[in-house]
C-alpha cells in the first residue's frame, strides 16, 4: 500500500478515536467529570497509536505543513459527520462556508507556486 494512502487511512482512523475522546462524552452529561476524563484518555490512547505512525510514515511523502493540513481537513470532516450522526446537531450554511474556507487554505498549502 502506498505511504500516502496508508498515512491518510491512519489519520482518518485516529481522528475517529480523537473525536469520540473529545466529544463523545457530551451525550453523557450526568457522568462525573473525572470518569469522562479517564475514559477519554483511554480512547485517546488509540488515537496516538494511529496518529504517530501516520505522521512517521507520511513524513517524506508529505512535509510537516502538509501533514498538519491533511490532519485538520480530516478532523473537520470526521467532526462534521460525528456532529450530525452522533450528537444529532445539524450543520448550517455558516459551518459549510467555514469548512470550505479551510479547504481553500489546504489548496494553498499543497499548491506548487
Amino acid at each position: 500500500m502506498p505511504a500516502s494512502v496508508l498515512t491518510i487511512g491512519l489519520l482518518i482512523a485516529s481522528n475517529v478515536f480523537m473525536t469520540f475522546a473529545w466529544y463523545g462524552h457530551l451525550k453523557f452529561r450526568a457522568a462525573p467529570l473525572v470518569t469522562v476524563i479517564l475514559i477519554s484518555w483511554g480512547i485517546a490512547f488509540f488515537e496516538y497509536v494511529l496518529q504517530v505512525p501516520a505522521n512517521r510514515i507520511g513524513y517524506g511523502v508529505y512535509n510537516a505543513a502538509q501533514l498538519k493540513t491533511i490532519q485538520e481537513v480530516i478532523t473537520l470532516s470526521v467532526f462534521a459527520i460525528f456532529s450530525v450522526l452522533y450528537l444529532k446537531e445539524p450543520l448550517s450554511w455558516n459551518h459549510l462556508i467555514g469548512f470550505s474556507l479551510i479547504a481553500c487554505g489546504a489548496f494553498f498549502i499543497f499548491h506548487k507556486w
Side-chain angles (χ1 to χ4, degrees):
M1 179 177 301
S4 59
V5 173
L6 183 57
T7 297
I8 291 170
L10 288 169
L11 287 173
I12 290 169
S14 75
N15 271 279
V16 170
F17 282 104
M18 179 192 74
T19 301
F20 273 96
W22 287 11
Y23 302 102
H25 60 87
L26 297 177
K27 287 183 85 169
F28 306 99
R29 304 266 311 162
L33 185 57
V34 171
T35 301
V36 297
I37 289 170
L38 293 174
I39 291 169
S40 292
W41 278 354
I43 295 169
F45 169 79
F46 295 102
E47 178 220 344
Y48 277 83
V49 166
L50 298 167
Q51 178 79 21
V52 171
N55 287 328
R56 177 73 61 105
I57 292 165
Y59 189 64
V61 176
Y62 304 108
N63 64 40
Q66 290 171 329
L67 280 170
K68 184 60 179 171
T69 302
I70 293 167
Q71 157 74 25
E72 294 304 326
V73 169
I74 290 170
T75 296
L76 285 174
S77 301
V78 168
F79 180 78
I81 293 166
F82 174 87
S83 181
V84 170
L85 297 180
Y86 184 78
L87 295 177
K88 307 294 188 215
E89 294 183 0
L91 291 178
S92 61
W93 66 269
N94 59 318
H95 298 118
L96 299 176
I97 289 173
F99 292 165
S100 297
L101 290 171
I102 291 168
C104 287
F107 167 79
F108 285 100
I109 297 292
F110 280 89
H111 188 74
K112 304 286 187 218
W113 298 99

